[in-house]
Amino acid sequence: VVSTQSTGSSGINAEYGDANQIWDVKDAVTRMKQLKVYDPYWIEEPTSPDDVDGHAQISQALREHGIGVATGEMCQNRVMFKQFLKLHAMQFCQIDSCRIGGVSEVLAIMVLARKFGVPVVPHAGGVGLCELVRHYSMIDYVLISGKIDDRMCEYAEHLHEHFTDPAVIRNARYVLPDQPGFSCEMRDDAIECYQFPKGSYWKTS
């Protein structure tokens, strides 16, 4: 389990854990009960990302301890999220901008999460994910939930230099982009360097 502490614009100062899908249901419940002394806010991906029923069991078992379950970054469509939400198998909805099939699908999931009262906490950190998810977090605030007090959005301080409109963080918040589009256009020099197998990076490695 990777544990991190965060104090951001949400006003939440808490411990978070990420099991990266390694446990079965019994292990997840047992280990999180052992870790409850640290007052974790959530456990992320405690078991197989496709096991909706397993997540529901874990969520139910940890509810009395005040530990939520965050998941969804491996899900590809609104049907999976509908099942997770309907069975109360997630307390934090982690959309992933690249795994879900486009803006319309993501918006449908965000509206579903609003219906079930589950905050959307986008997964980010990979190549271009931070550039993409800032749009969804802002759409969630402006058009869907109107809330930031129980919302967070991941950020990683790397690879932004490869994009024409890189993500910017100021005072623990994403800054609105000042260019049109989805902020996912890569710089020409980055493409030339890293495209496989003809990029200059591969020729000199």
Side-chain angles (χ1 to χ4, degrees):
V1 176
V2 177
S3 179
T4 60
Q5 187 178 60
S6 174
T7 304
S9 59
S10 64
I12 299 169
N13 184 0
E15 296 285 343
Y16 309 84
D18 189 345
N20 281 309
Q21 314 162 20
I22 196 171
W23 296 326
D24 60 22
V25 172
K26 183 179 178 181
D27 280 341
V29 173
T30 299
R31 292 178 185 274
M32 289 313 298
K33 285 182 177 179
Q34 293 170 342
L35 291 169
K36 70 180 181 179
V37 64
Y38 300 104
D39 194 25
Y41 193 59
W42 77 41
I43 179 62
E44 183 175 339
E45 291 199 313
T47 193
S48 169
D50 301 316
D51 189 354
V52 181
D53 180 69
H55 278 83
Q57 292 181 55
I58 295 167
S59 295
Q60 182 177 5
L62 298 181
R63 188 173 297 122
E64 65 179 289
H65 304 290
I67 304 171
V69 170
T71 193
E73 69 179 77
M74 297 297 290
C75 295
Q76 301 85 27
N77 57 68
R78 64 187 183 277
V79 176
M80 285 293 294
F81 280 93
K82 179 191 73 172
Q83 295 174 31
F84 272 101
L85 291 163
K86 194 170 183 179
L87 291 177
H88 307 288
M90 61 165 60
Q91 287 70 59
F92 300 93
C93 177
Q94 291 189 302
I95 57 171
D96 184 287
S97 301
C98 292
R99 288 195 178 95
I100 299 171
V103 175
S104 296
E105 194 79 357
V106 173
L107 293 180
I109 293 164
M110 292 169 67
V111 171
L112 274 171
R114 172 68 178 86
K115 175 180 173 62
F116 285 92
V118 174
V120 174
V121 182
H123 170 249
V127 182
L129 275 179
C130 296
E131 279 66 34
L132 295 171
V133 298
R134 57 181 171 167
H135 294 269
Y136 291 128
S137 287
M138 292 166 192
I139 289 171
D140 179 48
Y141 174 60
V142 174
L143 297 177
I144 299 175
S145 72
K147 300 174 66 178
I148 59 172
D149 57 324
D150 58 354
R151 267 108 172 122
M152 291 158 281
C153 188
E154 288 182 309
Y155 177 78
E157 186 67 62
H158 70 303
L159 304 175
H160 304 292
E161 66 274 14
H162 301 303
F163 292 86
T164 61
D165 187 16
V168 175
I169 293 289
R170 188 176 300 141
N171 297 325
R173 299 170 188 257
Y174 276 94
V175 177
L176 277 167
D178 57 8
Q179 298 182 31
F182 205 11
S183 305
C184 58
E185 181 181 359
M186 297 191 74
R187 294 167 53 97
D188 290 339
D189 57 342
I191 295 173
E192 187 283 324
C193 181
Y194 292 104
Q195 63 178 332
F196 184 81
K198 297 182 179 180
S200 58
Y201 175 84
W202 307 104
K203 293 178 180 179
T204 57
S205 296

